[in-house]
Amino acid sequence: MAISGGEQDDESDYEAFLHIVHLSDMHYRDESGASDLRMERGARKIAGYFQRCGAQGLSEWMLRKWHQGTAGQDSTAHERLCTFLTKFADNPQFAGVETWLLDTGDLSSLGDLGSLQNAVACLKEYQDILGASKLLTLYGNHDAWPGKFPLRASRKELHAHRTQMRSTKLFPPSWPMMPLSIAIPHCQSRVLLQGVSSVIDDRWLNARALGRVGIDPNWLPAREGVHQLRKLAADAEQHWHADGSTRDFRILAVHHPIHYPPPRPTWTMHMKNDADVADALAAFSQKGRGKLAQLVLSGHTHETYPAWGELPAQVAAHVYSPLTAGQVQLVAGSQAQATYTEGGKLKKREQALPQEFQILTFFAAPRSAHRQLVIERRVVRRTNNNGPYDLMKSGDGEVEAITLSY
């Protein structure tokens, strides 16, 4: 299926009407920002203890995990990404279609203001290159770090940082967000993209990279904050189509995946209330207007999911538990984070995580295909931090497609 590049003469054809360029986990680290030297030395001290005890593998694992969590962006990634996006925007195959730019969080490694400002400046440049009409930026768990590992931060430091994040206009001041919206050709429905925050501004839980979609701001008691999922449902119901039957296609953007790519970690990384969130999204369908989200877009894991070549052609072919049938979870990899190397070298048995992101193109079905969308996914990758960004390719070409009903 080829991108139409705009309006088609024959309405029976599927028509491309939206690109979502989905980036995540830039992990920018400004050189003028803070370095958590105390935690760095502590991690090395513990790793040295393991090494002296003969646990060489455990020692290396600990150092790798620490540095993968705190390493900044690859210094060559920004220029190479600008080059790719320029070619994409100039390619007539992709031109003439509205574009949204989405970043699902972890713009920074340590959460310091200088790194966040530089990361947002990069995103603004990408938006200009793409001619993207909208830019949606989420808050990641690393962005909640107050310039140091959260376990070492005081309550006063955490409060000052989260207050600053809400007042700088780098991120939305409150969640959930009002949706980005675009009409779907050939019908009265719309595509709606909304964002919620899954970040927990807490020393212990954020140190384990755990997330939760709940009260916003998350440090307030329930009676004082906004329950994000209830607010999403109430807003959706308030803006229903007047005819009483027209449904919209809803996308939820959230940093932590609801369906964590298997195997789901037990003590770290996952969304603590993922099952409750999934239940809330599905339960909304009892109102007769479809699920609260048919598609979930996330980051956090640093790897594209489903992996390139594994996207099912039909949503019914796979259930992304705890999501239900008819819902899809897509995760973007780390767009620009540098690969950790000890002593400047990557060990032979290790492989650098690729720098990658995804481009989703939405196609409206003809009138004869009731409440149906086709989404093409292109995965853009830069392997081992070398060379240009390029589209992943296989024997079937450079695109995967999935059909979704709403």
Side-chain angles (χ1 to χ4, degrees):
M1 184 178 298
I3 290 181
S4 67
E7 193 72 30
Q8 299 245 351
D9 294 333
D10 185 353
E11 246 186 13
S12 67
D13 290 332
Y14 283 77
E15 178 183 337
F17 66 96
L18 175 66
H19 300 305
I20 296 181
V21 179
H22 177 198
L23 311 177
S24 198
D25 295 82
M26 187 188 307
H27 280 266
Y28 202 101
R29 190 165 177 178
D30 186 63
E31 289 304 317
S32 66
S35 294
D36 194 347
L37 297 178
R38 183 176 176 183
M39 194 65 194
E40 168 86 19
R41 289 171 182 144
R44 289 194 173 277
K45 185 176 181 179
I46 297 172
Y49 171 78
F50 287 144
Q51 189 172 27
R52 289 191 299 274
C53 292
Q56 179 69 24
L58 184 57
S59 174
E60 292 179 358
W61 174 86
M62 182 176 177
L63 281 179
R64 186 167 62 252
K65 284 296 183 182
W66 167 253
H67 283 285
Q68 283 178 348
T70 57
Q73 80 289 355
D74 182 321
S75 60
T76 65
H78 176 69
E79 179 185 355
R80 299 298 176 89
L81 184 53
C82 287
T83 298
F84 175 86
L85 295 178
T86 298
K87 291 180 180 178
F88 176 82
D90 291 344
N91 189 328
Q93 180 186 12
F94 303 107
V97 175
E98 183 165 346
T99 300
W100 296 345
L101 178 60
L102 167 68
D103 190 292
T104 47
D106 278 359
L107 277 68
S108 65
S109 283
L110 298 179
D112 57 290
L113 186 58
S115 296
L116 288 167
Q117 289 172 331
N118 276 283
V120 169
C122 289
L123 291 174
K124 295 287 189 183
E125 188 169 353
Y126 304 152
Q127 181 183 17
D128 290 343
I129 291 171
L130 290 166
S133 61
K134 301 288 193 261
L135 169 61
L136 173 57
T137 306
L138 301 190
Y139 196 40
N141 57 291
H142 276 262
D143 302 320
W145 288 23
K148 64 174 69 173
F149 192 56
L151 201 57
R152 287 209 319 105
S154 66
R155 289 188 176 184
K156 183 178 180 180
E157 288 174 313
L158 284 173
H159 180 72
H161 180 69
R162 66 198 186 197
T163 301
Q164 183 183 52
M165 290 301 96
R166 297 263 170 165
S167 62
T168 58
K169 299 184 179 180
L170 296 174
F171 301 102
S174 62
W175 304 92
M177 288 190 57
M178 291 299 292
L180 307 185
S181 175
I182 186 172
I184 301 175
H186 313 155
C187 65
Q188 300 302 311
S189 300
R190 305 184 71 82
V191 167
L192 305 174
L193 170 61
Q194 290 188 274
V196 294
S197 174
S198 60
V199 172
I200 308 174
D201 296 81
D202 174 85
R203 296 178 65 216
W204 298 96
L205 297 177
N206 198 358
R208 291 160 52 196
L210 296 171
R212 179 174 55 227
V213 178
I215 299 300
D216 182 73
N218 61 79
W219 56 87
L220 292 181
R223 65 182 180 275
E224 297 179 25
V226 174
H227 192 291
Q228 294 185 80
L229 295 172
R230 292 177 188 167
K231 181 72 162 56
L232 274 183
D235 288 347
E237 191 166 354
Q238 184 179 354
H239 294 92
W240 274 348
H241 293 264
D243 62 10
S245 61
T246 297
R247 302 176 191 169
D248 292 320
F249 184 87
R250 300 186 185 92
I251 307 170
L252 183 67
V254 56
H255 180 65
H256 294 76
I258 298 174
H259 168 83
Y260 196 99
R264 177 183 182 270
T266 302
W267 300 105
T268 64
M269 293 292 288
H270 62 268
M271 183 187 292
K272 284 174 62 63
N273 64 336
D274 48 11
D276 292 337
V277 174
D279 288 349
L281 298 181
F284 186 78
S285 61
Q286 297 172 3
K287 300 178 182 293
R289 298 293 184 98
K291 296 179 176 65
L292 195 52
Q294 288 91 0
L295 174 64
V296 181
L297 301 180
S298 305
H300 189 55
T301 71
H302 291 200
E303 295 186 70
T304 297
Y305 180 81
W308 168 250
E310 297 182 5
L311 185 70
Q314 297 286 337
V315 67
H318 195 96
V319 175
Y320 297 89
S321 179
L323 297 171
T324 59
Q327 295 174 298
V328 176
Q329 170 77 71
L330 298 181
V331 180
S334 177
Q335 166 225 325
Q337 189 179 31
T339 297
Y340 162 63
T341 59
E342 184 70 23
K345 293 183 179 180
L346 186 70
K347 294 184 180 297
K348 289 184 178 180
R349 70 175 181 272
E350 297 171 350
Q351 184 177 3
L353 288 176
Q355 296 165 351
E356 56 191 10
F357 62 97
Q358 59 188 0
I359 300 174
L360 308 176
T361 302
F362 292 73
F363 288 80
R367 297 185 191 280
S368 58
H370 193 51
R371 295 189 184 123
Q372 189 179 94
L373 285 179
V374 172
I375 303 175
E376 288 189 346
R377 182 179 76 155
R378 289 168 171 81
V379 176
V380 185
R381 175 175 291 182
R382 185 175 182 239
T383 305
N384 289 334
N385 300 1
N386 291 318
Y389 286 90
D390 203 0
L391 292 168
M392 292 290 293
K393 296 179 175 63
S394 66
D396 296 327
E398 61 186 26
V399 63
E400 301 171 290
I402 185 169
T403 300
L404 292 169
S405 298
Y406 60 96

